[in-house]
Amino acid sequence: MTATSTIVAKLWNLSKALQGAGVSYQGYITELTYLLFLKMLEETKHEERLPKGYRWADLVSKGGVEQLDFYRKLLLDLGNSKIAKDPLVSAIFTDAQTALRKPTDLKLLTTTLDELDWFSARDDGLGNLYEGLLEKTTSEKKSKAGQYFTPRPLIDSIVRLVKPQPGEVIQDPACGTGGFLIAADRYIKSKTDELFKLSAEQAHFQRCEAFGGAEYVPETRRLCLMNLQLHGIESSVGDIDSLSSDGEALGKADLVLTNPPFNKMPQSVSRADFSITADERVGPLPFVEHVIRALKPGARAAVVVPDNVLFADGVGARLRTWLMNMCDLHTILRLPTGIFYAQGVKTNVLFFTRGKTDEGNTKAVWVYDLRANMDAFGKTRPLNVEDFAGFEKAFGADPYGKAKRKDEGEEGRFRCFNRKKIEDRNNNLDITWLKDTEATAEEGLIEPEDIAAAIVGHLKAALAEIEGLSEDLEVEVVAVAKKEAAE
């Protein structure tokens, strides 16, 4: 067990002690974010980012009710940009409040943090420690996992395939806790000897300008900012809605990596530059339009989407047609079930490249079925890097999907469908050929939380289909009414 995993285990065990005090897993991680930020600035000798009198030593020097009262004031003041001049500090502590009610609970946390082996943790990487805590949260509460955490094996596989490069602008318009941006940064650092092979100017760009994006949920953005900072990424992630007018300000990117929300939200898209999904409810379809518009000519993207993006009629069909015209949609990965139950739908990854013209960019789509005849994924069978080995080999070494590929036929997992065949399917991209044994696979689930998550997933998927049908009927009714009024 590494020093980092030992510390993660110790910190996670504290959450059990605080559950009786009414602190949830999510609340506990948020609480730790505040305290770890203070402690890590002390450990890394960067306390100048904090105003004097608001540092770790000031907090731990107090006890009892005095400490808890000081902590509450500290959270309030550090979120005030007039007191905390450092923009990252004020962003992390904006609207911060503690869920702790007892002075003894705060003292337990501060004492435990003080006693940890920080020397070894720094050697392993403080960012890895924090990421470990985030992963613990989601693994403990699977039904919440998809809200802000994409499985790391999936992220790492995608990043290995698209090969982010130094100097590229990399964007995630729905950052969550920053998993894609951090993985891209990690990949680039592995190829550049931790940026030492780059010039000073290039290294500064990588740390401060290469990565960007947005996260609209305040608590999740807080976790994202902390995560980026601990991984040495100074780039900012905005607290904006990418599907509002603010989303245009994200600018153009060389690479977009994202796992946007799967569910439709009550509010509608309000982007003046949108034409395909304008006035659509906020959800996966408008996010795909954002990604396409955010790509520079020749730039590439990998986007996690639910199944209905592949087959939805109406706006969905128009979006797919537009996507295949504007971009080379070269690869679709059908993901296994059991890794995104929170959203209640089956998922895929779309790999595409923005064309240098706006017409006829997709000549053929390769589909890899990693869903049929797969294990039931859950607590007892987690997703791991080996699960993507076959797909990565079939995808090839070209990040634009241009490597030589082999159609494996009806018995294989990787097949090619030319544009004519897709047009004959009315541009429906929900393409299957292997026998789907999903039901049999789910019978193998044994953990109660996995079984419950599967049930919730199917119920949410059914509800999403009903909502989609209802919306289609409403559109038809409005169209008929307009036609009759015109006559």
Side-chain angles (χ1 to χ4, degrees), residues 34 75 78-80 89-96 219 221-222:
Y34 306 143
L75 295 181
L78 290 184
N80 184 343
V89 173
S90 59
I92 286 180
F93 288 93
T94 295
D95 298 325
E219 286 303 315
R221 178 179 179 249
R222 196 191 314 276

Side-chain angles (χ1 to χ4, degrees), residues 52-268:
K52 290 182 179 179
Y54 292 88
R55 298 173 181 179
W56 181 255
D58 301 308
L59 177 63
V60 297
S61 65
K62 296 174 172 56
V65 174
E66 181 190 13
Q67 185 186 43
L68 185 55
D69 288 343
F70 174 78
Y71 179 53
R72 287 170 176 157
K73 183 177 186 302
L74 177 148
L75 295 181
L76 182 65
D77 289 351
L78 290 184
N80 184 343
S81 59
K82 294 180 180 178
I83 297 174
K85 304 297 185 182
D86 188 298
L88 174 67
V89 173
S90 59
I92 286 180
F93 288 93
T94 295
D95 298 325
Q97 294 181 345
T98 179
L100 302 176
R101 302 172 189 172
K102 298 179 181 178
T104 51
D105 291 334
L106 177 59
K107 180 56 78 173
L108 174 63
L109 286 173
T110 56
T111 301
T112 302
L113 287 175
D114 249 351
E115 293 173 349
L116 294 175
D117 182 5
W118 290 104
F119 180 82
S120 298
R122 284 196 300 273
D123 281 350
D124 283 353
L126 296 178
N128 292 334
L129 185 157
Y130 192 69
E131 232 180 327
L133 284 169
L134 295 178
E135 190 167 4
K136 266 286 189 185
T137 308
T138 56
S139 64
E140 287 292 328
K141 192 66 175 173
K142 183 69 176 286
S143 65
K144 298 293 184 185
Q147 183 182 354
Y148 60 86
F149 190 85
T150 307
R152 182 163 172 176
L154 173 59
I155 290 177
D156 288 344
S157 177
I158 290 171
V159 168
R160 283 193 296 272
L161 293 173
V162 298
K163 295 179 170 58
Q165 297 298 307
E168 290 188 320
V169 174
I170 301 171
Q171 181 190 121
D172 184 345
C175 281
T177 56
F180 273 116
L181 300 182
I182 288 166
D185 175 68
R186 185 185 294 120
Y187 180 90
I188 291 171
K189 285 176 176 173
S190 72
K191 302 296 182 182
T192 60
D193 189 21
E194 299 298 310
L195 307 183
F196 285 110
K197 291 182 179 179
L198 304 180
S199 68
E201 184 179 355
Q202 290 171 325
H204 178 270
F205 174 83
Q206 289 306 131
R207 287 191 298 269
C208 303
E209 300 176 47
F211 303 100
E215 175 48 54
Y216 191 52
V217 179
E219 286 303 315
T220 308
R221 178 179 179 249
R222 196 191 314 276
L223 303 183
C224 179
L225 292 172
M226 178 72 165
N227 208 6
L228 294 176
Q229 171 66 22
L230 292 177
H231 283 87
I233 302 173
E234 296 285 340
S235 300
S236 179
V237 167
D239 55 343
I240 61 173
D241 176 5
S242 297
L243 302 183
S244 72
S245 57
D246 295 332
E248 294 181 64
L250 290 175
K252 300 293 185 179
D254 300 289
L255 174 61
V256 177
L257 301 167
T258 191
N259 175 19
F262 291 172
N263 294 330
K264 286 187 176 182
M265 308 300 175
Q267 64 271 30
S268 297

Side-chain angles (χ1 to χ4, degrees), residues 3 7 16 22 40 72 95 109 121 167 182 213 227 232 234 259 277 295 297 301 334 341 348 391-392 423 428 469:
I7 291 175
K16 310 295 183 183
M40 289 177 179
R72 287 170 176 157
D95 298 325
L109 286 173
I182 288 166
N227 208 6
E234 296 285 340
N259 175 19
T277 62
L295 292 174
R334 293 173 61 83
Y341 274 130
N348 313 267
F391 171 60
E392 291 182 29
E423 285 180 350
N428 184 322
L469 178 60

